[in-house]
């Protein structure tokens, strides 16, 4: 312990004697450690931090898998069979996301919500903050309308009223009794305002059908000692039994299990790990830079270390002393880096998509502080070990006899520093090349043809719900009434000055919503159960295509006569045609739906439109798109699409008033321009572009510092050689070429190695490089030019110093 304290004191004194070296090393390390800690704080909060539930590692998301269509939501009858017959879980539950209109004296408010089974809170092992949660009898038909409020809604809307339990809230025109307030730790299924019991809705058609996979998500808690593999096998035995009993709906289906945490963060997992890998490269470059500084400092300390060896210090003792100095540097760098972390986290959070899970939990806590401390200590050992071993190899006799540090050992350290600089250039090349590809990919996504004109458009959503509109179904008077309400809304909005056209759709573009339909094509072999063709599906009003400015390639558009009294018609996109009618004329062809709730389940194709990107830009659609007249297949939730003059957002209040003139109890929500919706859909890519680009610039700065250091060092150890060359008549231009050629060799070698690494790793990162080749030559040329210019800048001062050497003074010395 005494020797450690002595080493620490000696290290501090040594650093104080070399303030320039100490400040350079500390700032370099602060950049690397601070950046790594900042990104790790995001990775930890989003990906690694356990969910706030007891034994959360035993919580799994459950779903079904069908060979023809991939993962599916749970069918409610299948869930009931799973729960009754499984042996691997303590219990399982289901929930379904939905939205609710809250009616109050202050006006209607749109709320996010979820229907949850009674076992939901039991599976998560969460107790309510107030009141109670649901009981098993609340899952039965005939049970009362009950609601559990989220902690955030309770505090925001009701001022944390402790007497809220027992009150009645009007949700979707129905009276719900508040039975409890959920704990604030409840984060699944995301941002939810209200949790509603299943019971009153168990006679709904979509909960009766085994082939109805409409948004039910399962959660199960494994029994202690049961593995996920065993649980999957257990559920799949039940699936096999159901397939035998119900071959038309369950053939080929099997269960899927995924950790609940992994399911919650799956959309952002790859992006965050990419950023962590990138910032790790920056840290390695910073370590290599400081290692080069230590090697140069070791040359100046040869005499000191030789004297210590002569006085009896062992090699291990010298290595330990030098490593102590490195760790002190790293801890100082970590301290400064932590300040950088605190400053940068807010900027990173501002760049993150607003729907990033647990965004509000990103910050510096005890775990992050511990990570920063361990990272600092590990970094000190990483960059200090090689210089320490090199310095401890000092030949005592040779050093004391020569009295000069510019010998063979100095040249050995010079070659090691060259390798470190080449490594820095290579890693910087990887980051620059990757950043260039991401920028090109992002620009390509921003300018991609969407198949429609998104400018001058306002979008919003409306949920038409309540007793006035309940129990509507196809071919019923209620559906006609609902369509009439929609038409009144359209007429009211059209009357707003400046509105050119307006349309409704059941799936709003770039809303992360989807609807898929299984179907068959008459006169073709009936597909096996579980292998039925699938297509995206949405209902639209006749002026949808005109409002979106989507051309009709063939056939006709919808018109006002396409209602429930007429045969069903559909319009399909070119992808649908290519997949199902590659060599036939699709106009006039019929398809049949599997939806048992539709008495008239066949439809005729009357038109073809081009592919329209309405969700993920850059992702090639795996299935086609069908459009149906809204009057023939209405829904309670619709999207408003307006094409207007001037600023679209300036029409928001007028549109709200127009809707209120039809029904004052209907709030509109998610009001934004189409351009904003598109930009928000690209926020994850934007985060990658900005941060990877920033880290690439930082790595370029660090590499240029390292390159400058090695070139300056080269001039120092070759001072006598240059002096002799000049004395013998060498031109100063030739001396400049010596330094420049050194820079070319270092940058060129690093560039070749870096591009080789970039091409290799680029093959595994193609998911990030959308619409651009991983071996793009324009990016390669730009990277080479940037590194070449950096080499020239870094070599400027060393060249000036080299050509300024006085040969007479050098020979005298």
């Amino acid at each position: 312990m005494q020797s450690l304290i002595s080493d620490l004191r000696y290290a501090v004194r040594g650093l104080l004697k070399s303030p320039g070296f100490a400040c350079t090393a500390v700032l370099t390390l602060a950049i690397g450690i601070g950046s790594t800690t900042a990104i790790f704080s995001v990775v930890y909060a989003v990906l690694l931090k356990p969910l706030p539930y007891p034994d959360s590692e035993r919580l799994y998301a459950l779903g079904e898998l069908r060979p023809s269509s991939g993962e599916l939501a749970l069918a409610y009858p299948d869930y009931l069979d799973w729960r009754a017959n499984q042996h691997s879980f303590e219990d399982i539950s289901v929930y379904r996301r939905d939205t609710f209109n809250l009616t109050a004296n202050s006006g209607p408010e749109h709320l996010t919500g979820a229907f949850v089974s009674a076992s939901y809170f039991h599976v998560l092992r969460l107790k309510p903050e107030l009141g109670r949660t649901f009981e098993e009898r609340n899952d039965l038909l005939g049970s009362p309308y009950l609601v559990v409020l989220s902690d955030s809604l309770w505090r925001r809307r009701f001022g944390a009223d402790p007497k809220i339990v027992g009150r009645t809230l009007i949700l979707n025109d129905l009276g719900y009794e508040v039975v409890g307030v959920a704990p604030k730790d409840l984060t699944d299924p995301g941002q939810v305002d209200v949790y509603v019991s299943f019971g009153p809705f168990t006679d709904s058609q979509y909960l009766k059908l085994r082939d109805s996979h409409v948004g039910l998500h399962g959660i199960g808690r494994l029994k202690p000692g049961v593995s996920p593999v065993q649980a999957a096998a257990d559920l799949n035995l039940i699936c096999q039994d159901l397939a035998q009993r119900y071959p038309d709906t369950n053939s080929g289906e099997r269960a899927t299990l995924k950790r609940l945490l992994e399911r919650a963060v799956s959309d952002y997992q790859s992006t965050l790990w990419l950023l962590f890998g990138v910032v790790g490269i920056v840290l390695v470059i910073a370590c290599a830079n400081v290692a080069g500084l230590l090697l140069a400092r070791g040359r100046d300390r040869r005499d000191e270390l030789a004297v210590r060896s002569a006085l009896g210090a062992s090699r291990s003792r010298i290595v330990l002393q030098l490593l102590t100095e490195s760790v002190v540097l790293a801890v100082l760098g970590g301290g400064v880096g932590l300040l950088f972390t605190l400053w940068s986290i807010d900027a990173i959070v501002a760049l993150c998509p607003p729907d990033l899970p647990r965004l509000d939990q990103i910050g510096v806590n005890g775990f992050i502080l511990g990570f920063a401390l361990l990272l600092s200590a590990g970094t000190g050992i990483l960059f200090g070990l090689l210089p320490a071993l090199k310095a401890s190899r000092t030949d005592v006799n040779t050093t004391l006899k020569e009295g000069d540090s510019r010998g063979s050992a100095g040249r050995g350290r010079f070659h090691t520093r060259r390798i470190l600089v080449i490594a820095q250039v290579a890693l910087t090349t990887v980051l620059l090349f990757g950043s260039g590809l991401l920028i090109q990919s992002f620009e390509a996504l921003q300018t991609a043809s969407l198949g429609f004109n998104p400018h001058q458009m306002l979008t919003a959503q409306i949920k038409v719900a309540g007793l006035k509109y309940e129990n509507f179904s196809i071919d019923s008077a209620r559906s006609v009434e609902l369509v009439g309400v929609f038409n009144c809304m359209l007429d009211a909005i059209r009357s707003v000055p400046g509105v050119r056209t307006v349309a409704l759709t059941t799936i709003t573009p770039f809303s992360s919503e989807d609807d898929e339909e299984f179907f068959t094509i008459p006169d073709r072999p009936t597909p096996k159960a579980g292998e039925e063709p699938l297509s995206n599906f949405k209902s639209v009003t006749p002026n949808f295509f005109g409002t979106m400015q989507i051309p009709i390639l063939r056939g006709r558009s919808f018109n006002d006569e396409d209602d429930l009294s007429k045969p069903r018609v559909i319009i399909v996109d070119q992808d649908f045609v290519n997949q199902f009618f590659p060599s036939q004329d699709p106009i006039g062809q019929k398809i049949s739906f599997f939806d048992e709730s539709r008495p008239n389940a066949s439809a005729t194709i009357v038109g073809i439109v081009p592919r329209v990107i309405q969700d993920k830009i850059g992702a090639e659609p795996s299935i086609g798109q069908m459009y149906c007249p809204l009057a023939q297949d209405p829904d309670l939730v619709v999207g408003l699409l307006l094409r207007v003059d001037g600023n679209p957002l300036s029409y928001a209040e007028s549109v709200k008033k127009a809707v209120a003139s039809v029904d004052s109890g209907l709030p509109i929500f998610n009001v934004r321009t189409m351009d904003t919706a598109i930009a928000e859909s690209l926020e994850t890519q934007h985060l990658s572009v900005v941060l990877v680009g920033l880290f690439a610039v930082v790595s370029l700065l660090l590499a240029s510092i390292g390159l400058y250091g090695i070139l300056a060092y080269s001039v120092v150890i070759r001072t006598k050689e240059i002096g002799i060359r000049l004395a013998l008549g060498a031109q100063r231009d030739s001396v400049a070429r010596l330094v420049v050629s050194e820079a070319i060799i270092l940058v060129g070698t690093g560039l070749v190695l870096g591009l080789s690494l970039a091409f290799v790793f680029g093959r595994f990162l193609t998911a990030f490089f959308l619409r651009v080749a991983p071996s793009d030559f324009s990016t390669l040329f730009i990277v080479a030019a940037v590194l070449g210019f950096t080499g020239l800048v870094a070599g400027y001062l060393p060249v000036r110093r080299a050509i300024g050497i006085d040969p007479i003074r050098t020979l005298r010395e």
Side-chain angles (χ1 to χ4, degrees), residues 79 106 143 250 279 344 347 377 391 393 416 425 493 602 625 629 705 728 792 809:
Y79 154 71
S106 58
S143 65
N250 290 67
V279 80
S344 62
R393 291 178 183 172
T416 303
V425 174
I493 296 172
S602 67
Q625 175 73 57
I705 292 173
L728 294 176
L792 291 176
R809 179 182 296 178

Side-chain angles (χ1 to χ4, degrees), residues 2 35 65 86 142 155 299 317 334 494 585 685 719 732 773 775:
Q2 188 63 36
S35 300
L65 183 70
Q86 61 84 22
R155 296 181 185 278
R299 178 186 67 85
R317 187 73 185 82
R494 286 192 193 100
D585 183 2
Q685 291 89 337
T719 299
R732 296 191 183 274
S775 57

Side-chain angles (χ1 to χ4, degrees), residues 318-328 380-386 388:
I318 292 175
V319 169
L320 183 61
Q321 170 63 55
L322 296 176
L323 280 179
T324 301
E325 293 181 12
S326 299
V327 172
V328 169
I381 296 173
L382 175 65
F383 70 74
L385 185 59
L386 179 61

Side-chain angles (χ1 to χ4, degrees), residues 34 96 100 148 161 245 288 341 461 559 575 607 675 718 737 805 809:
R96 182 179 187 269
F100 296 85
V148 173
D161 182 3
R245 292 161 55 192
T341 299
Q461 289 179 281
N559 56 53
D575 286 332
D675 289 326
R718 299 177 69 177
R737 284 195 294 270
I805 291 175
R809 179 182 296 178

Side-chain angles (χ1 to χ4, degrees), residues 130-134 146-148 164-167 177-181:
L130 281 180
R132 67 173 179 88
T133 57
F134 304 134
L146 304 177
V147 61
V148 173
I164 190 66
V165 174
R167 284 180 56 179
E177 179 187 351
V178 178
V179 296
V181 175

Side-chain angles (χ1 to χ4, degrees), residues 520-539:
T520 59
I521 300 174
D523 302 326
R524 293 189 184 182
T526 302
K528 297 180 181 179
E531 298 181 3
E532 300 89 350
L534 182 68
S535 174
N536 289 313
F537 183 89
K538 66 164 57 179
S539 298

Side-chain angles (χ1 to χ4, degrees), residues 509-523:
F510 299 99
S511 62
S512 299
E513 300 171 346
D514 60 21
D515 188 11
E516 298 173 344
E517 291 283 349
F518 292 102
F519 64 94
T520 59
I521 300 174
D523 302 326

Side-chain angles (χ1 to χ4, degrees), residues 212-228:
S212 178
H213 301 268
V214 285
L216 282 181
H217 303 277
I219 300 177
R221 178 178 288 274
L222 288 177
K223 293 179 178 178
V226 176
S227 70

